[in-house]
Structures are given as structure tokens and as C-alpha cells.
Amino acid sequence: MTANSRCSAAEPPGLETQRREIESLLRECELRAGDSWYVVEHRWFEQWKEFVESGDQNSSSFPGQIDNTELFEDLDSYHLKERLVENEDFVLVPAEAWHKLLAWYGMVESHPPLERKVVDLPSTLKVEVYPVEVFLCLHSNMENVITSQFSRTDNIREFVLPAGSECRLWMKSSDSNCERLRNIHMSVLDACLSSGMTVIMETRNADGTWPSSRPQIMNSVEEQDSYRGQPGVCGLTNLGNTCFMNSALQCLSNTPPLTEYFLQSSYLEELNFTNPLGMKGEIAEAYADVIKQMWSGRHYSVVPRVFKTKVGHFASQFLGYQQHDSQELLSFLLDGLHEDLNRVKNKEYIELRDADGRPDQEVAEEAWRNHRRRNDSVIVDTFHGLFKSTLVCPECRKVSVTFDPFCYLSIPLPVSKERVMEVFFVSLDPYAKPVQHRVVVPKAGKVSDLCSALSDMTSVPPTQMVVADVFNHRFYKIYSADESLKQLFGLFEQQEEQVLLALYLRERSHYRDYGSGSSSYGTSLFGHPLLLGVPRSSCSQEALYNLFLQRLATENTSPCGDTSKTSDADTSLEPPAEQPPQPSETTEEEKEEDKQEEACSPSPPPNEQPAKRRACRKRRKSLFTIQAVNSNGTTERGMGEGGTQPYVAIDWDPEMKKRFYNENEAEVSVNICVCVCQQTTVQLQECIELFTTVETLEEENPWYCPVCKKHQLATKKLDLWSLPEVLIIHLKRFSYTKFTREKLDSIVDFPLRDLDFSGCLLRKSLSNGEPPSRYDLIAVSNHYGGLRDGHYTSYAKNKDNGQWYYFDDSKVTYAREDQIVVSIMHTTDTELLGQCPVGLLKSRYLSINL
């Protein structure tokens, strides 16, 4: 006997009782969203009604087991026939009635119960007879398709996902268009899934990428798959003036609590898709993808192209490839991440209250509670603090006290009207050594003022000077005389009727340049760049080779510098002796080479035959090759040339450089140039104290006094009340007035450890678990250059191994602690980021600089 046979069913009550109970349930049961109803074949139900109405247990109208055979297309798949009509082909009974009928009569063996949900459709409730039937497959195996049925009220999360893997879902319709199912917390109905669609389940790769949109990476797939590096030590490709974005991303990437939050996929449970102030979770997801790739340990460098596109989509100011401020990007990103991850789904209106004489502790606690009622996210947990704002009316002396949250501290720098500049004068005379000079120039002056001051010391006319920025072995800008003074490191004399070449030194690598995406062997800059005046008639490859070699001899004690004499270098570069070539006709091309050599050679030996020189030239191996490059010292496209200045690189073979280039001697000039300190030095604590001093509001931003009933230029004072776990300090290096806009170049001296805020923190007593008032440095964003140009880099401390690294777009190198402050002081532009792990006695801070 089967479990569904009549004998196995419970003993049913009398026929009248059956009729009365079922009819009562059908009459009184109301449709409620989410309730279960059951589909019963109409013929069987009608026969049951005839049976119970007969009152005869032995009536021939006995219906037997519940049989829905007529409702199925076939008995293999048990799919319902299409276009079945209620009360003609089937009836719907509530769950309680179904379970009574099943207990009394049983069901045909192997038939599935046809349970259906009540769904809340727009303006109506309805039993969902036909559920959504979708095809499920894995992205890695799209040939293996499983058919599944889901109610429109089912949550997307109920789809079968591989255990222990981070997945995302794609919805594919019959026209082959794919759309991402971002919000897995919504229902099938809200996701607009319909029968016949395919849902593709995609699992994140071990390297942090997604199979469907694997981003371009800096090395080949084969090498990438085998590469294993320190997680987090990963460069970011410059997509074209995106160094500001890369610098900010590297600093946030090395902020432990935020990075752990994303690496552990905690963000998936907190994505807010309905926040009108957010970005539908897209910024948070794009940021998570970048972080997971950077911390997979499988990339030398990644391309944040998708992230850049998302940022430009939601913030039009970042569209295109213009240079921006890293602080501007960081501010947008922190706000976007907060709103995308805000745990508050419906923000209530809260009216702000003035202190009105109440104690600071009471007002501060009220302000923080109100803030958390509308803002609750990992960003608030990690970066938000509270400061006290005090406004005093100059007329009625009304005092207004409020407590406001902050995400970072924008602190001012002292402003001076003059600057002392130590500059490096390099003459075009190849035998003249560079000389260092100290000059005093107007803060708001022009480059011409600097040239005039230097002219008094060098007797070189100002009109024959060229001013350039030198940083990281390259020229970042060559200035015109009418430009405003900025941080300058090089001064060069220029002669008429010459081409002024910017000369970079590069070393060829034995390995391919994964940083450029090129299949050719890579190069790295070294030494300090030079400006070289070259006669327009002497710009051939060989002439330039000899001129460059002569110039290098003045910077370097290498024996290869003197091309007019036979030297050990020349001898050592000779290949083994060969039989002299047989006389032959000189080609026109060779004759032209001989003419150029005669015109360009500094001092050819007398009576030397051109053919002989040509034979020696062909036997001799060059110390370096010459390559036209852009202003960054690379041949990459889309990096921008920054003007019409010609840039040339000389590429050294590593063996040749080791044998014939004296780095110790040459680097003396580099150190003098890089270590120039032309600004006054201030302590970071002084800037923080300046942040908390009383100031008068500007006319463009007055305060409305509730007593005077008019706008007043009130005095304002900010004080720190409570500090966050991670403190971001932004140095306000840009000074704005109605008529001028300049960048402040004061050197800010800051500690790597124990940055103490206890002296300027109003709240003295801290409860258990609150961040302390001392911070250690974990990351720095640097800016080099002026208002309209420059370059961003960053230093950061890896959260796993405690090692400092220097991030310059796709290039990442080790850094020592003693390099950080020194290097930052030489760029003169810094912002600090610090972190304070909860429960520790010390905090850490981070800096992002403009």
C-alpha cells in the first residue's frame, strides 16, 4: 500500500462535516500576500462535492485520491498546461482546506502538490498559478542549464548560489541582452524576472576580478596567473591625468578597518539600493572590485577603468581626463560610499537645536544621536568625528553653539608675503659645474622676478634663463617668464639659434615593462634630467650621441666622457679584432654619414679617413641609445605632452651603465637639487592650532542672527570634541582671494608617531572603546607642482607586513620611514591620514594633500 492510498489517509469525518468545513474555509478565507493556496483539478473537486452532498459513503461518486493529471502537460516534468482557466480547469483552495482534503483522501503517487503563493500585484492580490520559470547556469559552465520555478514574492537570495563563494547574478532575456541583478534582497517581482529568462551566476576570480568583465591588467594572463606578491602592494595605471585618483585610492586601500570590511564582503549585506542620496550601490561595488584586485596578491598593477567610469557617471566634474584634487576625489568617494552603505533606509526629519545654555556634554550627545539616526555606515564608524562650532554676533553678542560631524579636518597653513628660494643654476656651458643660490622673491611674484634676482648673482641676463620643475628624475614643467612663482628646482641658460632639449636618463630592464602594457622591454628613470642647447643643424642621432656623451662627462667622472681621445672605455668596447674589410665603393648614404660626423664630431683626429672612422664606428658598441619621449619620460599614449618642449631620453643598457656611469659622482648634483628647501617650516600642531583660532566670517558667507533678525559677520571658532577611529588631515595649500589663487608652499613637519590631540580636544574623558587622542601615520598623499599641473603620489604602510611603500601610479617601490618625511618635505605638499584601532592606546592618521 502506498502512502497516498485511501487506506493510508486519516479516517475522515462524516460527509456533512466535510462539506461544512471546506465550504466555510472557502467562504471565509481571504487572500493575504505570502499565503499559500493549492491548485486542485476541477473535475476531481466537483466529484468530491457531489460525493459529500449525496450523504452516502458508498456512493458511486466517490472521488478517490486527489488526481491532477489533467492539469499537466506530461507526467515527466509535471509542467502545468498553458492557459488553464480557474473554475473550468482547476479550483484554488486555501492551505488549511488542502491539508484536510489531503489527509482525508490522499494523493496519486508521485504527483507533486501544486502550492501557489498569493502575490501583491499593483492594486490587487492574486494567487500566482503560474510561477516564474527561469533557467539557472554558472558563468563557468553555461552549457549546463537547470530549470527552476520561483514565486514572484521569493527573494533573489533564495536562488541557489555556490557555498562559500562571492557571486553576482546576471539576467539574460531572449534577445541576448544581459542586465546585472544588483539588489539580491529584492523580490523576483521587483526584479522584473519573467519566465523564459536565464539567470547566470558568476563567481569572483581568485585575483579579485570577475570572469564577465576581467579588467586589463599590467601583465600577460599566463604570468599574472603565476604571479604571487604581497597583498596590497599593487600599482594603479594612470588612465590620463588620473594620478590624483590613484593617490587617494592607495591611501584608502591601506586603511585597515575599511579594507577589511570590503575584503570580508561585509558590504554585501549593507548595500543600499533605494537611498535617493546614494548611487544605487554602484560606487561601493566598483570600489570593492578595485580593493579585491589590489589585495589578491596576483597583480603587479591593475587598471581602475570601471571605477573611473562610475565616478564620472555620478560626479560630472570627474568626467574626462583633466587633473583634479585628490582631496576632492576623496571627499566624493567617502560620501558616496557612506550613502551606498547607509544602514538607515528611511531618513527621518530631525530639527536641529541650538545649545541655549545647555552643558556641552548634553548638546554633543544629542547631536551625535541625531546624526546616527540618519547616517549609519562603515564610513561613519571609521571616519566621522564631532567638532564644536561657536558663533558670536558682533552686534547683540548672541552666542550660538552647535555640534557638527566631520569626516576630515581641513586645516589652514600660515600665509607669508615673501619666500626664500634655494635654486640650482645649471649653465649650458658643458664644463661649468652647477651652483646653488639663495634668493628672496615676492610670494605673489612671477618667474621673471626670480630670474631678475638670480641675474644679480650670476651676471646672466634674465631673458637668457629658463626655469623648470625637476622631480623624480624628470621635468614636470618648463615655465614661461610671466607665470606665477611656484616650487622651482632648476635654472638654465639658453642661447639663441638652438633647440632646447630636455634630456632624461633611463635604464633598460631585462624584463618586459608590465607597467606600460607594452610587449617591449621596459625602462626606469634614474639620475637627474638635463637641459641641453643643441644647434639646429646638429640634431642627427650620431651628433646628439656625441653631444650627450660630452655633457655627461661634466656631470660624471666616467672615463667614457672624453670622445676626443682614445680611452679605456673605447678600447673595452671594441669587439675582437677582425680582418680589415675589402675596399669597396662608398654609398651615398655612407657619404652623408661621413659629412654629418665631420660636422658634429668635437675634434676628429687629423688626416683620418672617413671610411676608417666609419669602420671604427661600426665596430664600436654604443654606451646608450637615444629615444624621443613625452614629458613623463615615457612613450605611452594619452599621457599629455604639456607643451611643445622636445623631450629626449638616453637609454642605458644595465651592463653599460654599471661599467661607465658613476652614479655616486653624478648623484651629488641630484641630492643638492632635490634637497632644496625654499620655504619656511611649520609644525603640524601649529596648523591644528590655527584651525581652532577665532575668525570673522567673510561677506560672502554671513550668519543670520536670530536675535538681530539679520545677517551678521559673526566671529566663529571651531573646537574638536571627539575624534574618529581614522583621522584624515587635509592641508589647505590653496589660498583664494577675490583676485588671486595660489598654492602655499610652506613645509609642514609632522610626526610619524604620537600625533597628540589631547591639548586641543575639548572632551577630556573618554569612555571604554572610544578612539584615543594619539595617532600614528599610516598613509600620505603627496602633490608636486602648481595649481594647473603637477603630479600625485602616495606613501602607505601595508596593514599586513607593516612595510612602507611608495606608490607612483603603476610603479610601487619599498620605502623607509626616514624617507617619508624627507621626501614629502621636498615636494612641499602633503596631507595626512591616520588610523586609530579601537581599544589600542595609540591611533593612526592619514594625510591627503593638495
Side-chain angles (χ1 to χ4, degrees), residues 13 30 103 166 195 417 430 457 465 517 650 729 733 738 780 839:
E30 298 181 354
E166 185 181 351
S195 294
K417 295 184 178 180
M457 300 180 177
M465 294 182 179
I650 58 176
I729 300 177
R733 289 198 173 273
K738 289 182 179 179
V780 180

Side-chain angles (χ1 to χ4, degrees), residues 244-267:
F244 72 96
M245 180 183 78
N246 294 345
S247 177
L249 285 176
Q250 292 289 7
C251 288
L252 280 189
S253 170
N254 286 279
T255 304
L258 185 64
T259 295
E260 289 294 339
Y261 172 84
F262 281 97
L263 292 182
Q264 294 171 6
S265 299
S266 302
Y267 72 100

Side-chain angles (χ1 to χ4, degrees), residues 327-345:
Q327 173 62 23
E328 184 184 5
L329 186 279
L330 184 73
S331 176
F332 162 79
L333 180 56
L334 290 175
D335 183 66
L337 290 176
H338 160 64
E339 297 296 356
D340 270 2
L341 299 168
N342 199 342
R343 303 173 187 119
V344 179
K345 302 305 187 232

Side-chain angles (χ1 to χ4, degrees), residues 411-412 414 681-693:
I411 62 177
T681 301
V682 298
Q683 299 297 316
L684 182 61
Q685 290 284 11
E686 297 178 46
C687 300
I688 296 172
E689 291 172 4
L690 189 60
F691 171 78
T692 59
T693 57

Side-chain angles (χ1 to χ4, degrees), residues 761-784:
L761 193 63
L762 289 184
R763 186 180 183 184
K764 302 301 180 182
S765 59
L766 301 177
S767 60
N768 293 334
E770 285 195 68
S773 59
R774 293 179 181 268
Y775 288 83
D776 291 344
L777 185 70
I778 60 170
V780 180
S781 172
N782 320 304
H783 177 263
Y784 181 86

Side-chain angles (χ1 to χ4, degrees), residues 325-328 331 387 408-416 443 682-684 686-693 695-698 701 716 718 728-737 741-748 781 783 785 787 792 828-832 846-850:
D325 301 333
S326 64
Q327 173 62 23
E328 184 184 5
S331 176
F387 58 66
Y408 49 85
L409 294 181
S410 290
I411 62 177
L413 274 69
V415 179
S416 61
K443 186 82 171 183
V682 298
Q683 299 297 316
L684 182 61
E686 297 178 46
C687 300
I688 296 172
E689 291 172 4
L690 189 60
F691 171 78
T692 59
T693 57
E695 63 177 351
T696 302
L697 297 179
E698 298 177 350
N701 187 31
K716 181 178 181 179
L718 293 177
I728 300 175
I729 300 177
H730 163 223
L731 302 183
K732 296 168 65 175
R733 289 198 173 273
F734 288 164
S735 175
Y736 303 94
T737 68
R741 183 175 184 262
E742 66 170 335
K743 180 180 177 182
L744 307 179
D745 55 10
S746 301
I747 295 177
V748 178
S781 172
H783 177 263
L787 295 175
Y792 279 97
T828 75
D829 304 0
T830 338
E831 290 183 39
L832 314 172
L846 169 140
S847 153
I848 308 295
N849 178 54
L850 296 180

Side-chain angles (χ1 to χ4, degrees), residues 596-650:
Q596 291 182 357
E597 183 171 350
E598 290 175 0
C600 302
S601 179
S603 54
N607 303 320
E608 182 178 277
Q609 296 298 321
K612 182 179 178 181
R613 291 200 307 272
R614 186 168 60 248
C616 293
R617 182 179 67 237
K618 291 182 178 179
R619 292 201 310 268
R620 187 165 60 239
K621 183 178 180 181
S622 298
L623 293 180
F624 50 77
T625 58
I626 301 172
Q627 174 72 46
V629 295
N630 60 20
S631 60
N632 288 327
T634 69
T635 54
E636 298 177 14
R637 295 181 178 179
M639 298 299 291
E641 293 301 320
T644 59
Q645 179 69 40
Y647 294 87
V648 176
I650 58 176

Side-chain angles (χ1 to χ4, degrees), residues 34-39 68 92-93 95 98-99 112-118 127-129 131 149 151:
D35 283 357
S36 293
W37 287 59
Y38 287 81
V39 178
N68 289 331
L92 293 170
V93 298
W98 162 259
H99 290 304
L114 298 178
E115 181 183 8
R116 296 298 185 261
K117 297 285 188 179
V118 177
V127 177
E128 183 184 46
V129 176
Q149 291 184 341
S151 168

